[in-house]
Amino acid sequence: MSKVFSLRGQALKLDTAADLHKHTQALEASSDVEEIHLEGNTIGVEASQALARILETKTTLQYANLADIFTGRLLAEIPQALDALLTALLKCPKLHTVNLNDNAFGLNTVEPLRPFLSRHTPLQHLFLNNNGLGPAAGTLVAEALEQLAGRKAEARKEGKSVPDLETVVCGRNRLETGSMAAWVKAYQANDKVKTVKMVQNGIRQEGVAQLLQHGLSSCVQLEVLDLQDNTFTVLAGQTLANVVERWTKLKELGVGDCLLSARGGRLLGDALAKGGNKNLEVLRLQYNEIDGKGLTALVTAASGSGLPRLRRVELDGNTFSEELPEVAQFEEILRKRKEDQADEYPGVDEDDDEAWGISVEDMEDEDESEEEADEAEDEEDEEQAKIVKDAEIAEDEPVAQTKDKEVDELADVLGKTELK
């Protein structure tokens, strides 16, 4: 019998216990289910409470996908339904992965998350993408994760085997700079995290710098970091250059569409050339105002001993010309690496063009000379000197919310068949 139960994408409207029972008899009968996939349906309060009574008996459950399960529900319904489900999942001792993407929580409905996130010590992989949290609710989530680390430590002292939190996906949530102090503490406490994706959160440069310098710099096991579509400028670009060498296991770095700046691009390239990131395979640096000098710094890092495993670089929409000889040089380095070393990248498709090479399409024309750009950056450095100091002591601060755009969700589907 399959150990996966799935109602994925059936667009079911489950209001009552009777509605639910029509579709969950196999789940009720299963004694060894390991995964449930309920995404793409809409579940009301009564149906959620009935489902909770089933879930709390599934002691073998390891993975729960509850993404997009409240579409069309009233604001007053979601907290009750969510509380029932998460309270039940607290009783599942092997549950290590929870996906709550694409559910509209926000500040008014985030409260049921806190007891689960702060107490479920088996949690390893958390997906909270596109939940409309905002900085206040985002702070509450981060504080709960900090508390979780404490409870994990207490459980270990009692002789229990408890995994570290390894994955945090919390993108498209308008976390903004105001919640960064709390996220710093969350990552300091959960410093064994391996994957962090916090794209498109409206975080300004001082918040990004704070997060990098005081939080993520502690996470030396980091393998994937994606902060795309936040705002860096040279301030956070300098901070990134300062801390990136600490992540010796880093495989993917995404800072595209972040206004990294020309100088920020050069600083990052110089830092990567130092050899602290020899496992880095993918760099996403599109739309960052990187100039020819920044491109040269990156080519130097890739051609020397700094980035011996780099296979994919995205540089679309920067300010250098794609006719520069360094572009062809970069392409040749990565082409030869694919030709000679493709079998050294397990799980990477050799025929997947988006997994290899350099992407430099849709280049913007450079609007100013490099000398003028350098002068502008010098002025920006002076203006941001105070911000650097403020970022080190920043606590919660109100920031205007920004509009969301599209963001890719991390695919983490463990099951392949349905429970029959």
Side-chain angles (χ1 to χ4, degrees), residues 66-79 82 100-110 113 128-133 172-174:
L66 306 178
D68 188 20
I69 59 169
F70 297 125
T71 298
R73 297 293 167 181
L74 297 176
L75 189 64
E77 291 182 273
I78 298 176
L82 184 63
L100 290 164
N101 292 347
D102 303 316
N103 289 304
F105 294 151
L107 182 59
N108 293 329
T109 57
V110 75
L113 273 174
L128 274 175
N129 205 67
N130 188 32
N131 300 111
L133 294 177
R172 202 180 178 192
N173 269 311
R174 305 189 325 276

Side-chain angles (χ1 to χ4, degrees), residues 103-170:
N103 289 304
F105 294 151
L107 182 59
N108 293 329
T109 57
V110 75
E111 191 61 31
L113 273 174
R114 298 175 70 186
F116 177 80
L117 293 181
S118 63
R119 293 166 51 196
H120 190 65
T121 55
L123 187 65
Q124 283 181 275
H125 309 289
L126 174 65
F127 298 85
L128 274 175
N129 205 67
N130 188 32
N131 300 111
L133 294 177
T139 295
L140 297 177
V141 168
E143 290 173 347
L145 292 178
E146 181 187 2
Q147 294 165 12
L148 176 65
R151 286 194 166 93
K152 284 177 179 283
E154 291 172 4
R156 293 188 185 105
K157 289 179 181 178
E158 296 171 0
K160 298 177 182 178
S161 178
V162 175
D164 294 307
L165 183 66
E166 294 184 6
T167 302
V168 177
V169 176
C170 193

Side-chain angles (χ1 to χ4, degrees), residues 360-374:
V360 289
E361 297 177 358
D362 300 322
M363 289 297 180
E364 298 175 353
D365 293 330
E366 193 164 1
D367 294 326
E368 57 184 346
S369 69
E370 291 183 356
E371 182 179 349
E372 290 171 334
D374 287 344

Side-chain angles (χ1 to χ4, degrees), residues 143-299:
E143 290 173 347
L145 292 178
E146 181 187 2
Q147 294 165 12
L148 176 65
R151 286 194 166 93
K152 284 177 179 283
E154 291 172 4
R156 293 188 185 105
K157 289 179 181 178
E158 296 171 0
K160 298 177 182 178
S161 178
V162 175
D164 294 307
L165 183 66
E166 294 184 6
T167 302
V168 177
V169 176
C170 193
R172 202 180 178 192
N173 269 311
R174 305 189 325 276
L175 297 178
E176 301 179 2
T177 300
S179 70
M180 287 303 102
W183 281 100
V184 163
K185 293 179 181 178
Y187 288 123
Q188 288 175 342
N190 294 280
D191 61 0
K192 302 297 190 302
V193 70
K194 295 180 178 179
T195 296
V196 171
K197 294 198 171 188
M198 299 179 71
V199 304
Q200 198 177 47
N201 272 308
I203 310 171
R204 301 291 296 175
Q205 58 266 32
E206 60 271 22
V208 175
Q210 183 182 12
L211 179 67
L212 291 170
Q213 182 174 349
H214 301 295
L216 291 173
S217 62
S218 303
C219 303
V220 295
Q221 306 295 320
L222 202 62
E223 296 180 2
V224 176
L225 176 60
D226 195 344
L227 295 175
Q228 294 185 91
D229 206 1
N230 292 292
T231 302
F232 274 58
T233 73
V234 70
L235 169 65
Q238 175 73 74
T239 306
L240 177 62
N242 290 343
V243 304
V244 70
E245 287 184 271
R246 301 183 189 183
W247 304 321
T248 59
K249 299 184 178 181
L250 193 67
K251 295 181 179 179
E252 296 188 23
L253 176 61
V255 288
D257 202 12
C258 286
L259 292 177
L260 191 61
S261 81
R263 180 166 296 174
R266 298 197 293 271
L267 291 169
L268 179 59
D270 291 342
L272 293 174
K274 294 179 180 178
N277 306 100
K278 293 184 183 298
N279 291 298
L280 190 65
E281 298 181 14
V282 178
L283 260 176
R284 307 190 195 283
L285 295 168
Q286 64 275 20
Y287 299 98
N288 267 318
E289 300 184 353
I290 295 173
D291 62 8
K293 291 180 180 178
L295 175 64
T296 299
L298 292 167
V299 171

